[in-house]
Amino acid sequence: MPAFNLERDTRGHLVLIDEHGERYPDAAPVRAFPLSDPLHAVSICDKDGREIVYIDSLNDLEPRTRDIVEEALGQREFVPVILKILSAPPRTEPALWQVETDRGVTSFEVESEDSIYRREPRQVSVVDVRGIRYLIPDTKKLDPKSQRVLERFL
């Protein structure tokens, strides 16, 4: 594994400095197998998605670097699960949604119906105007009112 350093810029974004001193602002770690093997096969990519560094195992990193990588992965993989739709969003765009998630009650704007899509027959993703992805793992497990509201958008 090539030598590299990680730091945060003034905006809090990750910067990778490679062994030659070249800086890559807005670097992002990405797991190849986030569920089945989260400690292995991690790439750190540049802002255009090109791999800069490949990490075979997070266990190989020094503790400070590993902490930074794991924190960045946690931010990237933040996906709240919608448990209930609390208010029926209007049909106008952008639409304000108020929902209960596994992390509490929140409100967010959805730009258009194109931001709401089925991932699997009963799984739905909703992406807000800031790019935060919300997940409904199983639409049939929502309460009847939430199911009716959601169906308007699918």
Side-chain angles (χ1 to χ4, degrees):
M1 174 172 39
F4 68 94
N5 241 336
L6 293 171
E7 62 184 41
R8 298 266 180 200
D9 65 14
T10 56
R11 300 173 298 151
H13 295 205
L14 199 61
V15 178
L16 183 137
I17 302 107
D18 71 12
E19 58 193 335
H20 306 292
E22 187 169 347
R23 299 175 69 82
Y24 296 88
D26 297 323
V30 180
R31 294 184 212 261
F33 309 104
L35 299 177
S36 63
D37 197 4
L39 294 178
H40 296 94
V42 175
S43 294
I44 300 180
C45 300
D46 67 12
K47 63 183 174 187
D48 297 318
R50 291 184 297 258
E51 183 178 85
I52 309 164
V53 172
Y54 175 80
I55 303 165
D56 185 51
S57 173
L58 292 179
N59 294 327
D60 296 340
L61 298 175
E62 64 182 54
R64 180 191 158 281
T65 303
R66 180 177 174 163
D67 288 346
I68 292 171
V69 170
E70 287 182 332
E71 177 188 9
L73 285 165
Q75 290 172 339
R76 178 181 177 88
E77 296 167 351
F78 174 73
V79 180
V81 174
I82 294 175
L83 305 172
K84 186 176 188 177
I85 300 171
L86 299 174
S87 65
R91 289 197 173 272
T92 59
E93 296 175 348
L96 181 65
W97 287 53
Q98 184 176 23
V99 299
E100 179 183 337
T101 73
D102 60 337
R103 293 175 169 88
V105 173
T106 190
S107 297
F108 56 86
E109 277 190 320
V110 175
E111 189 171 337
S112 71
E113 288 185 14
D114 293 337
S115 300
I116 305 163
Y117 58 96
R118 288 191 190 274
R119 295 176 59 163
E120 293 178 12
R122 291 168 43 174
Q123 188 178 75
V124 173
S125 284
V126 179
V127 181
D128 76 6
V129 295
R130 295 173 299 165
I132 296 175
R133 200 171 294 279
Y134 294 82
L135 178 67
I136 300 171
D138 186 344
T139 57
K140 296 298 180 194
K141 291 187 178 177
L142 290 173
D143 63 279
K145 178 185 171 200
S146 297
Q147 287 181 35
R148 283 190 304 276
V149 169
L150 187 61
E151 283 303 316
R152 289 187 358 216
F153 295 92
L154 296 175

